[in-house]
Amino acid sequence: MHAENSPVEDPFEDPFEDRLGEALRHAGDTFDTDRRALAAAGQTRGRRLRLRRRMAITGSVAGLALVGVGGALLMPGTDAGQPQQSAASPSKVRTGSQAAEVSGAELLRRLKGLLPPGRFSGEQARSTSHVLGPTAHLVYDDGDGKAAVEVGLGRVEPGSQMARESTTCPDKNLVSYDACTTSKLADGSALMILQGYEYPDRRVDTKNWYAQLVTAKGQQISVYEWNAPAEKDAPVSRANPPLSPSQLKKVVTATAWRTAVDAIPKKAKGKEPASSTAPRPSADGKAVSSALVSLLPKDVEVKAKGGQESEYAYVIVDDGKGRSLVQINVQAGMSDVQGQLFGSDAETLPDGTKVTTRKTPGEKGGEGVVMWTADTIRTDGVRVVVSAFNSGNQETAATRATPALTMKELRTIALSPKWRELLK
């Protein structure tokens, strides 16, 4: 018997924004630094998502800084003080061109209608007017075991870097997964379907498969599924998530989600400070990669390299003692977070540049992985962060005692004048 009780619209313990951010940081890989960046990014009202949750960790997101330096993700635009609607409340018709609000209950109904026959429980949802954006989450059982399924909706700027990254398969040098496909649909929408894992280091065999769709209009639909009744802290209940890649495609491309995205209130113009929307210089990712290679010590061999369209790049090097990942982020306009990222213990150079170095454990689960970081910020707000690891992939166990680059070498790379030149 299907559970049809009214859903509860409490915020999720691990909300859609975090999972979308996770998908985005996988898509472009993203960058790891210390967790102070998370708080700083959150305070800059979302324009910092490449500083994100794991720029304190190679990238996740920053709270709901659903995307930051270099690309703006246009999340649902309700004001923080707006009252939240119950998921079970009826849809409300809006004036003007705004589509009618879609309740959380209606989103759940649409999700159930797209799934094969089964039993439902654990229903939670947020309406299209919710300050955190619309989602529908349930536990689905087709007879082969319970599985969490979730849909999240939002907007991105059509044709933007963020739109491209969210539908681009991750770099396999940096992210472990079983399969990933991308395709362009007849209507111009971009689709990515990824079959991966909740925990990159596979410490628990919870699988996370998801589909990301971005339409030509910038409507973004994300469908997630797991082979467990919860994404975290729940025993695996089946071999694979319930929906095959073709079934995921059917669910994520349903027109029902696009009409719901159209009902998300748009932000009123002029409410954001000009400083948060003004264009900022951005270093080309390929140029960052080339510059990083040119600054490496002569005794290391580059085994692989890559990065994002802007700001982030990585190399995997070997000095004869094993592979070592080195990654860099070059960001302009970071003066507003300097106080959160550089404490009183930071060194100040004669030209005013602040420098801090740190040695910390890796943050993506690889056994024995350590991260050595040189973090710098110039007086003009240009921040350069370089990290090296004692493994060629953070998600796998350490392959050597220390990174291939010394802290002195990392510091020299971070302080190179080449980075400012790339931002001109």
Side-chain angles (χ1 to χ4, degrees):
M1 183 173 66
H2 292 206
E4 300 294 347
N5 295 331
S6 296
V8 178
E9 194 181 359
D10 292 330
F12 302 143
E13 181 179 351
D14 188 16
F16 163 67
E17 294 83 359
D18 289 353
R19 281 189 282 283
L20 178 56
E22 185 74 39
L24 295 177
R25 57 181 169 272
H26 281 179
D29 172 53
T30 79
F31 185 68
D32 241 314
T33 83
D34 69 89
R35 292 192 178 272
R36 286 178 292 177
L38 171 58
Q43 292 179 15
T44 55
R45 297 188 57 110
R47 75 178 171 79
R48 283 280 182 265
L49 204 154
R50 216 171 329 300
L51 188 65
R52 35 214 160 176
R53 192 158 182 111
R54 298 180 190 177
M55 207 171 182
I57 172 174
T58 251
S60 245
V61 161
L64 195 197
L66 246 199
V67 175
V69 190
L73 172 57
L74 307 181
M75 287 304 292
T78 54
D79 293 334
Q82 178 177 333
Q84 299 177 4
Q85 298 294 327
S86 166
S89 63
S91 298
K92 298 178 181 179
V93 178
R94 301 181 185 278
T95 59
S97 59
Q98 179 65 56
E101 176 190 357
V102 180
S103 69
E106 172 60 18
L107 292 177
L108 281 167
R109 188 191 69 78
R110 295 182 187 186
L111 176 57
K112 292 176 184 179
L114 291 167
L115 295 175
R119 298 169 62 90
F120 304 107
S121 60
E123 299 171 15
Q124 294 178 303
R126 296 196 299 246
S127 70
T128 55
S129 67
H130 196 288
V131 66
L132 293 180
T135 61
H137 175 101
L138 52 77
V139 177
Y140 166 69
D141 189 348
D142 58 0
D144 292 326
K146 293 183 177 181
V149 180
E150 183 169 312
V151 174
L153 309 174
R155 298 190 187 96
V156 293
E157 187 67 30
S160 66
Q161 177 184 343
M162 191 53 54
R164 291 188 295 274
E165 286 183 357
S166 64
T167 53
T168 299
C169 289
D171 187 332
K172 273 215 158 184
N173 284 316
L174 301 169
V175 179
S176 299
Y177 55 89
D178 291 334
C180 182
T181 61
T182 59
S183 58
K184 206 78 170 177
L185 306 186
D187 64 358
S189 298
L191 172 67
M192 180 189 75
I193 298 177
L194 187 145
Q195 294 169 269
Y197 296 85
E198 181 66 24
Y199 300 95
D201 62 347
R202 304 281 298 276
R203 63 185 181 273
V204 178
D205 204 29
T206 305
K207 295 182 180 180
N208 176 205
W209 293 2
Y210 58 88
Q212 298 271 6
L213 180 78
V214 175
T215 71
K217 294 171 57 179
Q219 299 154 313
Q220 183 158 28
I221 299 104
S222 305
V223 179
Y224 300 85
E225 58 170 343
W226 293 264
N227 62 333
E231 53 270 28
K232 288 182 172 68
D233 302 322
V236 169
S237 54
R238 50 193 298 147
N240 291 312
L243 303 178
S244 67
S246 61
Q247 289 173 312
L248 272 176
K249 179 179 179 179
K250 178 183 176 182
V251 174
V252 80
T253 57
T255 57
W257 305 127
R258 303 188 192 199
T259 58
V261 173
D262 291 340
I264 298 173
K266 297 179 180 179
K267 288 190 176 183
K269 294 182 178 180
K271 286 196 173 184
E272 291 293 327
S275 61
S276 69
T277 57
R280 297 174 181 273
S282 178
D284 176 74
K286 290 184 179 179
V288 172
S289 177
S290 296
L292 176 57
V293 170
S294 73
L295 293 168
L296 292 171
K298 302 302 181 184
D299 61 344
V300 301
E301 179 183 358
V302 177
K303 295 293 188 180
K305 61 182 179 179
Q308 294 175 303
E309 291 185 28
S310 66
E311 302 173 349
Y312 171 80
Y314 77 88
V315 293
I316 298 173
V317 302
D318 193 334
D319 58 357
K321 300 177 182 178
R323 294 195 172 203
S324 178
L325 171 66
V326 181
Q327 54 189 17
I328 185 168
N329 232 46
V330 180
Q331 300 169 306
M334 298 296 291
S335 297
D336 53 352
V337 297
Q338 178 175 311
Q340 288 84 13
L341 298 173
F342 295 84
S344 58
D345 58 339
E347 177 187 1
T348 302
L349 303 183
D351 66 357
T353 298
K354 291 186 180 297
V355 183
T356 184
T357 58
R358 51 192 172 269
K359 297 181 179 181
T360 61
E363 293 182 323
K364 299 196 78 173
E367 183 179 356
V369 173
V370 298
M371 175 172 66
W372 292 5
T373 299
D375 197 346
T376 67
I377 190 165
R378 275 73 165 174
T379 54
D380 60 0
V382 174
R383 184 186 183 207
V384 180
V385 196
V386 188
S387 290
F389 304 82
N390 59 336
S391 175
N393 187 322
Q394 288 194 70
E395 298 173 359
T396 58
T399 54
R400 48 188 297 147
T402 60
L405 272 62
T406 66
M407 190 66 80
K408 181 179 179 181
E409 289 168 336
L410 291 172
R411 176 189 168 105
T412 298
I413 292 173
L415 290 172
S416 170
K418 288 189 176 186
W419 309 121
R420 184 180 272 121
E421 295 170 3
L422 294 182
L423 291 164
K424 290 180 180 179

